[in-house]
Amino acid sequence: MSDISITPPVEKAPQKKAISPLRAAMLDFASSPLAMIGLVVMVVMVLAAIFAPWITPQNPYDLSQLSIMDNNLPPGSESFGGQTYWLGTDPQGRDMLSAIIYGLRMSLIVAVTATLCALAIGMAMGITAAYFGGRIDTLIMRVVDLQLSFPAILVALILLAILGKGVDKVIIALVIVQWAYYARTVRGSALVERQRDYIAAARGLGLGHARVMFRHLLPNTLPPLIVVATVQIAQAIALEATLSFLGVGVPVTEPSLGLLIANGYSYLLSGAYWISVYPGVALLVAIVAINLVGDQLRDVLNPRLRR
Amino acid sequence: MPNTSSRAFLMSASAALALTAGAVSADTLRIGLASEPTSVDPHYHNLGPNNALARHIFTPLIEQDAQQLLNPGLATEWEAVDDTTWRLTLREGVTFSNGAPFTARDVIYTICRIPLVPDAPSPFTLYTRAIAGLEAEDDHTLIVTTDGPAPLLPNQLATFGIISASVSGAEDEVSFDTDGCTGIGDAPASAEFNDPAFAIGTGPYTLDAYIRGEELRLTRNDNYYGDAPAWEQIVMRPLTNAGARVAALLAGDVQMIENPPTQDIARIEGDGFVISSGLSNRVIYIALDQGDAPTPGIAGDTNPLQDARVREALALAIDREAIQQRLMLGLSEPAGELLPAPMFGTNPDRPAIPYDAERARELLADAGYPDGFQIVLGTPNDRYINDGAISQAVAQMWTQVGVQTEVDAKTFSAFIADRNGFNFSAFLAGWGAGTGEMSSPLGALVATRDPDRSLGGTNFARHSNPDIDDRLVEALQTVDDAERERLLREASAIAMDTFAIVPIHYELTTWALAPGLEYEARADQYTLGFAVTQAD
């Protein structure tokens, strides 16, 4: 038996033509055009975020490149330097297009880092709880219950009030808010897997706890985790945007999408719509794209939803 | 027949609409406040919104006009008999809103009560501390003695309203003593003034209802000695969100709002509403920590800000006109001192600090920082007009001359806590000169920190220069106006020449009013409903 098979055991008879499970999953995924669009948008956004320093006309975090004389210009205006601001400028004279791409970069860095850390912590906790059971299980799961009984935004606000401002602090807050979801998900599927023969066999061979947990049990609990992680990245982006909008997130001189929206909020009534609206659209598109991909992944990886 | 009645209905409806759309019913003025007074008690909290509300109900001995020049109030005349003695002549025939006559006893009682206000967050003792003796020659003549020359006494007497001794539970004989007055009974707690039966004054209005967080209703006082104001009723509603305030004005829910956001002013004016704006006594400045080396927010063991050349460089690097035009949209005046000319003690010939990035780089190189340094600029982001945005603009301008600047923006209460703990190397803040003359900003922001002399209370930059201190202390004891003004001018010029502090601009205070209303902008930023008139 392979250690790292990623499809859970399926009751249905395998398809006639022998294709690898991974390829089958990919074909399944591609069957939804909406999800493919989501995937393409997601990939484009991730690439734009990664290559932001090379593709943006301006570095909006470098204060020496900004000029207050260029502030609040409508989309399509030209600067004194002859540069065109396709999406206009904000009250500090930042090029909105550059600011949105950098903001997206900031939002994605914060969300992905926080999700990966939370995933690692949650996974370890969930597997430990399921594998050992008994008191350890009770202890970990009560902490998880306690954590999940508070609204995420409230916990994050309190944490940031204590920790102070900064990108690292936001990531810490997001990790603390999110790890419980993963712990709960992993524990659920690990409890089922634990009863199966291959685990008994592995134990029978005299393998150590750690090896059984991480080499045998963990790989078989991954599919639901992948789905949860995808959805949680979108959640993390939204949560970070909310925190920044409320002024407790990233520093004002390095705006994320949420802070850009907050910057333009007071200008909405006076007609300078572009400062808030474009970052808002970018945020919306990013979250919808990730959710589309996440939904389709869930359909593909969940045997009960198999058509 | 149905036709006629529906037309009649339409006509009456449109007539009613026209009335409300005009938004000014002849007898009630509704005002949207940017921040709510914390109490009706005129002696509880020395804060703009409280003082403005108090002016409606309680009259001070001496009034300040829109430019903060002194006018008779409950005192018709005041003169310095000698260096430490003042004679005040009180207005005759004045009654409180409950009909009781106003006499010298009420003045003595008020000055006795000011130090006794429990838990006052910002007490008025600052303005009564100089008074060493109060003697009523008769019911309408008061002799004030001070413990030293107190040239600012008239300005100080203009800061607080007079309350009724009888209503507050005083005995028939009230006598003043710095160690404790006699005959004053139990001084009332501030909360009692929120009750209309207790808030009895000699002002143009009486309190009708005070519903915290909702509204404040005032009714015209028919016993008021001055000209009767135009409005039968004034209703004040706290609308702290700027957008909500503008929306309420445009919808006709209120006829006057404080501080419309700068970016909305063009639109408000375009809709036919009236904008009133004028120079305030508030300067927005940047303080540079000169106390310690090292200083928080600047890496390394030295404090470059102790070098006047560095401070000059930072001052010259700020493009004040750009901030005025692009961020304040004209609603500020670039500053060269801590108080705008022609207020008392200013140097009228001193221009605003110029913008000269070249010279700033040279000065930094001369001081040994050719590559600049890194600094954190602390700022509130919800206190002064566009404060957070101004700090970000300053950060831009400093970074462009080589001083890498990071902005630490926070809400005002959190900012104050950090500033008072000396956690900032550089911070942006504002100072409104309550007395309307130069000793106020110099004494608070620039004079050496010295609690015993009540100087330097807000000097968190810890600048210290005896040349300034000596002139200031002398000015504070000089009763002769011309001589005092000369000393204050000199002190101010020294402070500016040594860049003890870096002024940015004076705020213009703005009000927006419904079409057809007029309000003269006040330097003290007070919103006084009784001074709003209908243009004809």
Side-chain angles (χ1 to χ4, degrees):
Chain A
M1 169 151 230
S2 158
D3 277 350
I4 47 164
S5 118
I6 61 160
T7 42
V10 179
E11 272 80 45
K12 269 171 79 177
Q15 280 144 324
K16 288 165 204 156
K17 234 179 158 186
I19 50 170
S20 77
L22 185 64
R23 195 172 154 73
M26 279 165 62
L27 281 176
D28 247 2
F29 185 90
S31 67
S32 158
L34 214 52
M36 285 310 285
I37 296 174
L39 186 64
V40 169
V41 171
M42 203 173 103
V43 168
V44 168
M45 285 188 147
V46 169
L47 288 179
I50 292 173
F51 296 106
W54 294 277
I55 60 171
T56 54
Q58 187 192 62
N59 177 357
Y61 295 172
D62 180 1
L63 293 178
S64 64
Q65 289 188 24
L66 307 183
S67 168
I68 193 87
M69 297 310 286
D70 282 343
N71 75 344
N72 294 340
L73 295 177
S77 312
E78 266 190 34
S79 74
F80 294 124
Q83 175 191 355
T84 306
Y85 297 120
W86 293 109
L87 297 184
T89 59
D90 79 353
Q92 291 301 320
R94 278 188 203 96
D95 172 32
M96 283 312 294
L97 179 63
S98 310
I100 288 172
I101 295 174
Y102 267 84
L104 191 65
R105 180 185 164 94
M106 178 64 89
S107 293
L108 284 176
I109 288 176
V110 169
V112 171
T113 317
T115 303
L116 288 180
C117 294
L119 183 66
I121 295 173
M123 215 154 62
M125 298 301 251
I127 282 262
T128 312
Y131 185 79
F132 291 107
R135 271 197 207 157
I136 296 179
D137 185 27
T138 313
L139 182 70
I140 294 178
M141 292 329 284
R142 288 303 80 78
V143 174
V144 166
D145 285 344
L146 189 71
Q147 168 100 55
L148 290 179
S149 63
F150 288 103
I153 183 74
L154 182 70
V155 177
L157 272 176
I158 293 171
L159 282 171
L160 284 173
I162 298 167
L163 295 172
K165 271 187 186 180
V167 176
D168 48 340
K169 314 285 187 349
V170 176
I171 293 176
I172 293 174
L174 290 182
V175 169
I176 293 178
V177 165
Q178 293 198 323
W179 72 273
Y181 293 98
Y182 302 106
R184 169 133 288 197
T185 313
V186 173
R187 176 180 173 270
S189 45
L191 273 181
V192 177
E193 293 296 322
R194 198 175 69 132
Q195 312 298 332
R196 294 193 188 273
D197 292 343
Y198 69 91
I199 298 293
R203 276 210 201 140
L205 283 174
L207 299 179
H209 288 314
R211 190 174 160 109
V212 176
M213 269 161 62
F214 292 104
R215 296 291 303 276
H216 296 265
L217 195 49
L218 182 62
N220 288 297
T221 60
L222 274 181
L225 260 191
I226 295 171
V227 175
V228 173
T230 324
V231 177
Q232 285 296 322
I233 286 188
Q235 289 277 345
I237 292 177
L239 198 54
E240 183 275 329
T242 312
L243 292 171
S244 295
F245 183 84
L246 294 174
V248 293
V250 299
V252 283
T253 42
E254 296 178 12
S256 67
L257 290 177
L259 192 54
L260 285 173
I261 296 172
N263 281 346
Y265 175 66
S266 59
Y267 289 83
L268 274 179
L269 263 183
S270 51
Y273 64 89
W274 59 88
I275 308 169
S276 260
V277 168
Y278 292 138
V281 170
L283 183 66
L284 183 79
V285 169
I287 291 178
V288 169
I290 295 174
N291 276 332
L292 285 176
V293 171
D295 280 0
Q296 183 68 4
L297 272 182
R298 186 194 59 207
D299 292 356
V300 170
L301 295 178
N302 188 341
R304 291 206 193 101
L305 293 176
R306 276 277 168 88
R307 283 141 301 187
Chain B
M1 194 54 195
N3 258 344
T4 343
S5 73
S6 73
R7 182 185 293 170
F9 170 77
L10 266 180
M11 281 173 67
S12 62
S14 65
L17 205 64
L19 265 179
T20 45
V24 184
S25 84
D27 42 7
T28 302
L29 177 70
R30 294 172 187 279
I31 305 175
L33 300 179
S35 48
E36 191 184 16
T38 53
S39 171
V40 180
D41 183 350
H43 311 137
Y44 174 66
H45 199 167
N46 183 17
L47 190 74
N50 288 41
N51 295 345
L53 169 64
R55 289 292 175 281
H56 291 81
I57 307 172
F58 308 94
T59 325
L61 286 171
I62 297 169
E63 305 243 32
Q64 288 185 325
D65 69 4
Q67 275 76 45
Q68 290 188 282
L69 297 176
L70 302 182
N71 278 336
L74 286 175
T76 51
E77 280 171 51
W78 54 96
E79 55 165 339
V81 182
D82 57 48
D83 263 7
T84 58
T85 312
W86 293 76
R87 178 197 302 274
L88 303 181
T89 311
L90 303 184
R91 197 180 288 271
E92 304 213 17
V94 176
T95 57
F96 283 94
S97 57
N98 64 359
F102 157 77
T103 63
R105 169 172 165 259
D106 300 301
V107 179
I108 297 174
Y109 178 81
T110 297
I111 292 170
C112 281
R113 190 237 169 192
I114 282 175
L116 304 176
V117 180
D119 303 324
S122 173
F124 284 77
T125 45
L126 183 67
Y127 302 125
T128 58
R129 187 154 39 206
I131 298 173
L134 277 174
E135 209 63 55
E137 265 187 11
D138 57 56
D139 268 359
H140 295 96
T141 311
L142 198 62
I143 303 295
V144 185
T145 48
T146 57
D147 55 5
L152 290 181
L153 189 75
N155 300 66
Q156 290 165 343
L157 294 179
T159 56
F160 54 88
I162 302 298
I163 58 176
S164 160
S166 302
V167 172
S168 304
E171 293 163 23
D172 286 343
E173 281 297 319
V174 177
S175 64
F176 178 87
D177 192 315
T178 43
D179 294 331
C181 304
T182 50
I184 55 170
D186 287 330
S190 290
E192 296 193 42
F193 283 86
N194 300 344
D195 174 4
F198 202 88
I200 301 297
T202 54
Y205 284 85
T206 58
L207 182 67
D208 211 14
Y210 172 63
I211 310 163
R212 189 94 197 235
E214 296 237 341
E215 65 175 32
L216 253 158
R217 279 203 305 277
L218 303 170
T219 305
R220 188 157 56 197
N221 173 14
D222 293 326
N223 288 333
Y224 180 52
Y225 65 84
D227 297 335
W231 313 99
E232 173 72 38
Q233 271 220 325
I234 294 179
V235 180
M236 299 181 181
R237 283 172 53 197
L239 297 169
T240 48
N241 179 292
R245 212 154 59 236
V246 173
L249 177 75
L250 297 180
D253 293 343
V254 295
Q255 286 92 49
M256 178 184 198
I257 58 170
E258 296 180 324
N259 297 344
T262 43
Q263 64 269 19
D264 288 344
I265 284 176
R267 175 174 170 218
I268 294 172
E269 261 185 321
D271 286 359
F273 288 78
V274 179
I275 296 288
S276 162
S277 71
L279 212 52
S280 73
N281 59 21
R282 190 192 299 283
V283 65
I284 300 297
Y285 64 89
I286 289 179
L288 301 169
D289 179 29
Q290 297 148 49
D292 276 343
T295 169
I298 296 181
D301 291 335
T302 57
N303 180 355
L305 303 175
Q306 288 174 330
D307 187 330
R309 287 172 298 184
V310 174
R311 301 199 299 268
E312 182 176 0
L314 294 178
L316 293 178
I318 300 172
D319 186 347
R320 290 168 178 73
E321 270 181 37
I323 292 176
Q324 178 199 24
Q325 289 167 19
R326 307 298 311 189
L327 283 181
M328 304 299 285
L329 303 179
L331 290 177
S332 68
E333 183 76 33
E337 282 189 285
L338 298 174
L339 199 65
M343 292 179 101
F344 191 86
T346 56
N347 293 287
D349 301 333
R350 240 191 134 84
I353 300 176
Y355 168 59
D356 191 342
E358 255 333 287
R359 178 88 189 110
R361 284 192 201 92
E362 280 173 31
L363 283 163
L364 282 172
D366 286 353
Y369 301 95
D371 302 321
F373 50 89
Q374 291 189 347
I375 192 169
V376 177
L377 174 64
T379 180
N381 57 11
D382 56 1
R383 174 71 179 90
Y384 310 105
I385 304 173
N386 298 337
D387 42 10
I390 297 168
S391 293
Q392 286 190 58
V394 169
Q396 262 181 38
M397 294 160 182
W398 283 359
T399 304
Q400 279 156 12
V401 298
V403 178
Q404 304 286 328
T405 310
E406 193 186 311
V407 175
D408 183 4
K410 35 184 77 158
T411 188
F412 188 59
S413 51
F415 165 80
I416 285 292
D418 261 356
R419 183 192 70 175
N420 295 2
F422 299 99
N423 291 335
F424 292 127
S425 284
F427 67 84
L428 176 137
W431 182 266
T435 52
E437 47 73 59
M438 187 57 90
S439 77
S440 163
L442 280 183
L445 306 176
V446 179
T448 307
R449 291 176 68 79
D450 183 354
D452 293 341
R453 292 195 293 186
S454 301
L455 286 178
T458 314
N459 180 3
F460 292 99
R462 287 172 283 183
H463 180 80
S464 177
N465 182 347
D467 289 345
I468 299 173
D469 295 350
D470 293 347
R471 285 174 175 77
L472 186 62
V473 169
E474 198 184 333
L476 288 173
Q477 294 170 354
T478 307
V479 179
D480 178 50
D481 279 351
E483 175 64 8
R484 187 167 80 251
E485 181 156 34
R486 186 187 66 78
L487 287 163
L488 288 174
R489 281 177 173 166
E490 279 182 23
S492 171
I494 297 170
M496 293 301 113
D497 288 342
T498 55
F499 297 90
I501 188 167
V502 178
I504 298 179
H505 60 228
Y506 312 114
E507 281 185 354
L508 261 63
T509 314
T510 312
W511 290 264
L513 301 105
L517 296 186
E518 277 179 355
Y519 185 65
E520 187 187 359
R522 291 183 62 92
D524 54 21
Q525 307 190 311
Y526 294 167
T527 301
L528 303 180
F530 54 83
V532 176
T533 53
Q534 290 200 28
D536 21 42

